[in-house]
Amino acid sequence: MKILVINCGSSSLKYQLIDMQGEKVLCKGNCERIGIPGSKITHKTSDGYQIEMDCAFKNHTDAFTKLVDLMTKGDGAVIENISEVNAIGHRVAHGADMFPHSCLVDEAVVAKIDSLSEIAPLHNPAHIQGIRAAQRIFGDIPQAVVFDTSFHHSMPSKAYMFAIPYNYYKQYHIRRYGFHGTSHRYVSKTCAKLMERPIEGLKIITCHLGNGSSITAVDGGRSVDTTMGFTPTGGLMMGTRSGDLDPSLVTYIAEKTGLHGNEFLRTFNERSGLLGVSAISSDARDIENAAELGNENAALALNMLCYQIKKYIGGFAAAMGGVDAIVFTGGIGENSSTVRENVCANMEYLGVKIDLEKNKTRGDVIDLTAPGATVKTYVIATNEELMIARDTLALCGGVPAPAVEKAATKKK
Ligand code: ADP
């Protein structure tokens, strides 16, 4: 069974075609600048073929047409015919409290996703465009939707409520939803496999650290708390996002600077975080390099990030009454030995100690745990696309092949 995984943004469409027999990625690619001059597609196959070409994409349907063309014809072909694609799985950013699980697409599901566009204006309308375009190109093959928010449905009310008038929750559904759920779910499951213990008996803290970052407390395989909030701006400081703030800052900054309305959103979403503090870059690599060369603001931004991660780990360990494993994932979590070393320093009191030599190595799965530590620490490369494909397969009645489980066991 071959599943096409789609992640649509307002001007982009990322795709992966996965053969579920062995969970092999046959090809993947990215259509960029859809509806904007300069649109292009990048297409790569598992046997090393790669092409980047300019294409005029007026809309997501144009992008779909081109990627189907590349997948089925010429040197980038991995299937002979579009009919070999059995199902499509879409990533959807916001399912709010409407979608506790992934589900198959029908008109009622599309209407619900659409109704959430008000709280996810950059994401949900784009996902619907992706679903509609897929329907136009692929006809009525099964399509599934997998939500970034679903994994966090298990949070108790004490974790998801904000301490503001209760009516805002009742009337406007204002609460913590949490995001990156597909990633937290994937790495926590993989962590349990690596530990060869049932996830039901484990307390795991998963740190997804990328341009967008969030940390989740996973108790018994269920998210019980997470750092992101009503929107993905909350929680930890990120590349350009502020993370949690004192709400009174808004009126104070408005009085001092005249900033208002959407300008605040842009400031806290696009000009804050690592970029805001360092005034250099939102990219952790640039920040690490600048800090090493003596830039004080870059060093401050890096210190703030590591401190916040450490603080949330301590908080979530306390919230769960202990922790058995900590997982680092995402671009920073998987690649930055500096961030991991700083975060895990002086955590022996909690049973956390990492092997600094292993911490310098690279790989999709690394056990960083130093001898004597009672808490396991892992790097686990996330794979949201595979999780989406597995959910889609399960919804279509198939049983996912445990390729990752095998890979994880082999590496041990
Ligand atoms: P997104 O949230 O957009 O998916 P990623 O998960 O790809 O982002 O993470 C991007 C971040 O990962 C950037 O801040 C980048 O600097 C960081 N990163 C990637 N490689 C390294 C590295 N070798 N060392 C430090 N940070 C890295």
Side-chain angles (χ1 to χ4, degrees):
M1 179 143 178
K2 296 187 181 73
I3 293 179
L4 182 61
V5 176
I6 296 293
N7 181 355
C8 269
S10 51
S11 64
S12 68
L13 190 164
K14 295 195 186 105
Y15 62 92
Q16 274 193 18
L17 183 65
I18 302 179
D19 186 346
M20 297 312 284
Q21 194 82 39
E23 296 187 331
K24 186 176 177 216
V25 178
L26 300 177
C27 67
K28 61 178 163 183
N30 190 5
C31 307
E32 293 169 76
R33 301 180 63 87
I34 298 170
I36 305 170
S39 49
K40 62 175 185 181
I41 184 167
T42 318
H43 178 80
K44 294 181 194 170
T45 66
S46 54
D47 50 17
Y49 173 84
Q50 182 169 343
I51 188 168
E52 181 178 316
M53 60 167 87
D54 295 333
C55 290
F57 298 137
K58 284 196 300 298
N59 50 41
H60 288 78
T61 307
D62 284 353
F64 257 108
T65 308
K66 187 67 198 174
L67 74 88
V68 165
D69 212 42
L70 289 179
M71 267 188 326
T72 54
K73 291 182 204 135
D75 294 338
V78 290
I79 52 176
E80 281 181 8
N81 196 289
I82 188 175
S83 63
E84 287 178 50
V85 178
N86 303 97
I88 299 178
H90 296 265
R91 175 235 169 183
V92 177
H94 217 318
D97 44 8
M98 291 185 181
F99 293 99
H101 305 289
S102 308
C103 61
L104 289 172
V105 171
D106 62 20
E107 283 308 309
V109 165
V110 174
K112 278 189 188 174
I113 296 171
D114 194 26
S115 74
L116 294 170
S117 294
E118 201 179 23
I119 56 172
L122 298 179
H123 292 100
N124 281 22
H127 302 320
I128 293 176
Q129 290 200 48
I131 293 168
R132 294 297 187 212
Q135 286 170 336
R136 263 173 236 127
I137 307 279
F138 288 86
D140 56 4
I141 67 168
Q143 297 199 47
V145 273
V146 178
F147 299 86
D148 287 7
T149 43
S150 293
F151 184 55
H152 302 299
H153 254 255
S154 42
M155 283 191 290
S157 52
K158 67 182 177 190
Y160 71 66
M161 287 300 292
F162 293 120
I164 56 175
Y166 192 74
N167 188 42
Y168 293 152
Y169 168 65
K170 293 303 283 176
Q171 205 170 341
Y172 305 117
H173 305 275
I174 294 174
R175 49 159 283 184
R176 180 185 313 283
Y177 288 110
F179 298 87
H180 293 138
T182 311
S183 174
H184 291 295
R185 181 159 59 109
Y186 175 79
V187 297
S188 56
K189 277 183 169 214
T190 307
C191 174
K193 301 255 161 57
L194 290 165
M195 293 175 77
E196 294 178 347
R197 285 179 56 186
I199 198 165
E200 290 72 20
L202 288 173
K203 297 177 194 299
I204 304 172
I205 297 174
T206 50
C207 307
H208 179 111
L209 311 171
N211 280 320
S213 301
S214 67
I215 301 184
T216 295
V218 184
D219 195 348
R222 295 156 60 84
S223 165
V224 292
D225 203 350
T226 192
T227 55
M228 278 180 169
F230 181 64
T231 72
T233 317
L236 282 172
M237 69 187 280
M238 308 177 212
T240 60
R241 288 173 244 172
S242 63
D244 284 353
L245 294 171
D246 173 347
S248 299
L249 283 180
V250 175
T251 45
Y252 191 75
I253 294 173
E255 268 169 34
K256 292 287 174 196
T257 66
L259 214 64
H260 60 269
N262 282 341
E263 291 169 9
F264 274 110
L265 282 184
R266 289 202 60 197
T267 300
F268 296 144
N269 276 304
E270 296 168 27
R271 300 180 197 131
S272 297
L274 293 175
L275 174 66
V277 177
S278 71
I280 290 179
S281 170
S282 61
D283 190 292
R285 280 164 297 201
D286 298 343
I287 301 293
E288 285 184 17
N289 291 338
E292 218 161 276
L293 294 172
N295 184 297
E296 287 181 10
N297 278 48
L300 172 63
L302 197 58
N303 278 338
M304 286 170 67
L305 176 67
C306 297
Y307 173 71
Q308 291 187 12
I309 299 166
K310 187 192 275 285
K311 201 162 81 164
Y312 274 116
I313 290 176
F316 284 166
M320 291 194 288
V323 54
D324 298 301
I326 296 170
V327 179
F328 289 97
T329 194
I332 298 173
E334 289 165 33
N335 297 300
S336 174
S337 53
T338 306
V339 168
R340 294 191 303 254
E341 181 177 337
N342 286 332
V343 168
C344 296
N346 300 320
M347 288 236 243
E348 286 87 353
Y349 78 93
L350 196 60
V352 178
K353 189 166 170 29
I354 63 167
D355 180 319
L356 296 181
E357 285 310 309
K358 281 191 197 153
N359 187 43
K360 288 189 192 130
T361 58
R362 297 248 166 176
D364 286 351
V365 174
I366 314 170
D367 182 350
L368 302 178
T369 319
T374 51
V375 174
K376 291 289 233 175
T377 305
Y378 292 103
V379 173
I380 299 175
T382 197
N383 195 339
E384 287 154 290
E385 292 79 12
L386 180 58
M387 202 79 237
I388 293 170
R390 286 180 180 173
D391 278 11
T392 305
L393 179 64
L395 285 163
C396 294
V399 181
V404 163
E405 289 142 48
K406 275 189 239 141
T409 320
K410 243 191 285 159
K411 282 196 177 153
K412 277 181 30 172

